[in-house]
Amino acid sequence: MAFAAFSELKALSAKLGSDPLLVQAAGGNTSIKHLGTMWIKASGTWLKDAATKDIFVPLHLRELQAALAAEDAACESCLDFVYQEQNKKNLRPSIETSVHGLMPQMVVLHVHCVNTIAWAIQADAAKQLESRLANFKWSFVPYARPGLELARAIKIAMKPGTDVLILGNHGLVVAAESVGDANKLLLSVVAALQRKPRTVKIPDFAKLTAVADGTSYVMPIDSRVHGFAMEKSVCKLASNNVYYPDHVVFLGAKVPQDFASGAPAIAFPSAGVLIHKDAKPAVEPMLACLSEVFLRLNTTDQLKPLAVNDVSRLLNWDAEKYRQTLSIR
């Protein structure tokens, strides 16, 4: 399907997907509604590929919206609403399709903005955001697992006219009636939530090289990865807790500090981070995201990590297991 606004969305999606402060790896998703169809980014694909690859899935919009209104279990995966005859690559819709279906606006953008996450993981996030988002039509949605549970939480939290959602322990959603207006709104909200990152010391590359010798671990390419490990107290908080879904999906329940686990990455307090040589492409961007978030926090911030049960349910969720198996780039 080709129409002008869809081409605009693909171009914007690629731009957003290329900004690591907004989107990391296969995270984030965009959508557009047109003539009864909602086109949404496919699960496991990378937004930065939107201009060059076929990464959008078409869905029957009315059927999806009716199912969301009825809280139909089919909204968990949304596979039942796909126009299969137009889905030549047999892609699955994003696990956050329900979010896009609930927003009535034509264009919806969902990003994992590091500045937003730095607010959204705080225990009193909604209160702290009141003054910063006073000029927006926004709603705060307490954490819920993506899918039908998140749809229910949004319906409870969303007020008439809402075009900005802050998803607790998750990210940012904006919606508008054109691609250009959605982009302007996104940039305005991101600017309102800006937090200046702290500067940390340079990683101990000599130590990292020494401990990596003879192991299956290597130095990350992106130097931002090391950030969260450079302060011992921050390393402990960031490594031993989970604060948002994509961390669980691509990094697991924790970032260990020894080689015994065979984990995708290991953090060495005050030294830096090593990555397993066979780690999936998403691992390094997600570690960089972790650093970007934690370097924007203050020592006085009261954080709210995901509960153990929330982490377990993400790890054992079929939709996320599917997303982990993909290597679409």
Side-chain angles (χ1 to χ4, degrees):
M1 175 63 67
F3 53 96
F6 196 9
S7 297
E8 291 176 26
L9 179 70
K10 289 179 178 180
L12 176 59
S13 298
K15 183 178 180 180
L16 297 177
S18 299
D19 185 344
L21 299 185
L22 294 177
V23 172
Q24 306 80 34
N29 33 77
T30 61
S31 71
I32 190 165
K33 303 176 182 75
H34 179 71
L35 299 178
T37 300
M38 184 175 82
W39 295 83
I40 187 165
K41 193 204 82 162
S43 177
T45 60
W46 294 47
L47 268 183
K48 70 177 184 178
D49 295 331
T52 58
K53 295 183 179 180
D54 184 9
I55 67 167
F56 287 88
V57 181
L59 290 89
H60 295 267
L61 180 58
R62 290 182 182 176
E63 292 181 15
L64 170 62
Q65 290 175 330
L68 285 168
E71 297 191 357
D72 190 324
C75 296
E76 188 71 0
S77 69
C78 294
L79 284 171
D80 291 353
F81 314 116
V82 174
Y83 278 101
Q84 292 297 351
E85 63 274 17
Q86 297 183 54
N87 185 22
K88 303 301 183 183
K89 292 188 176 180
N90 199 32
L91 300 173
R92 293 190 187 186
S94 166
I95 60 172
E96 287 149 351
T97 295
S98 58
V99 177
H100 296 253
L102 281 173
M103 301 296 281
Q105 295 88 345
M106 184 176 82
V107 177
V108 179
L109 311 176
H110 169 46
V111 295
H112 297 159
C113 163
V114 297
N115 284 289
T116 303
I117 295 173
W119 293 111
I121 65 175
Q122 298 194 38
D124 59 347
K127 182 178 180 180
Q128 290 214 43
L129 290 170
E130 286 178 358
S131 60
R132 291 170 177 82
L133 297 178
N135 295 324
F136 297 92
K137 295 175 288 186
W138 72 289
S139 295
F140 180 82
V141 183
Y143 175 78
R145 193 186 73 174
L148 189 54
E149 291 180 20
L150 180 55
R152 288 173 181 149
I154 289 173
K155 285 201 289 186
I156 293 171
M158 193 164 63
K159 301 179 285 287
T162 296
D163 57 10
V164 175
L165 298 176
I166 304 297
L167 306 181
N169 292 90
H170 191 154
L172 169 64
V173 179
V174 303
E177 294 302 335
S178 73
V179 175
D181 286 344
N183 186 37
K184 289 178 183 177
L185 181 57
L186 175 66
L187 294 176
S188 296
V189 175
V190 170
L193 299 181
Q194 199 78 3
R195 300 189 70 160
K196 185 178 180 179
R198 298 191 311 284
T199 300
V200 292
K201 66 179 183 179
I202 297 174
D204 188 340
F205 294 116
K207 178 178 179 178
L208 292 174
T209 300
V211 297
D213 186 42
T215 74
S216 298
Y217 289 82
V218 297
M219 203 82 71
I221 296 173
D222 187 345
S223 61
R224 295 179 306 136
V225 167
H226 301 289
F228 76 91
M230 301 315 298
E231 299 172 355
K232 288 184 179 180
S233 60
V234 173
C235 187
K236 182 177 181 180
L237 280 175
S239 299
N240 295 327
N241 297 285
V242 174
Y243 297 90
Y244 42 91
D246 272 11
H247 179 116
V248 182
V249 176
F250 297 110
L251 300 180
K254 65 183 299 182
V255 181
Q257 297 177 15
D258 60 67
F259 291 108
S261 64
I266 302 174
F268 297 90
S270 299
V273 176
L274 292 175
I275 296 179
H276 196 282
K277 64 180 181 62
D278 295 325
K280 289 183 171 64
V283 168
E284 191 161 324
M286 290 311 306
L287 288 165
C289 175
L290 186 64
S291 291
E292 293 285 6
V293 169
F294 269 83
L295 293 183
R296 283 166 169 77
L297 298 174
N298 301 317
T299 56
T300 56
D301 290 336
Q302 298 297 309
L303 305 184
K304 181 183 179 182
L306 295 183
V308 173
N309 183 55
D310 290 326
V311 173
S312 176
R313 295 181 69 225
L314 285 167
L315 286 171
N316 294 292
W317 190 21
D318 287 342
E320 289 293 23
K321 288 181 179 180
Y322 168 79
R323 192 156 69 115
Q324 292 178 56
T325 65
L326 297 182
S327 57
I328 302 173
R329 291 294 306 277

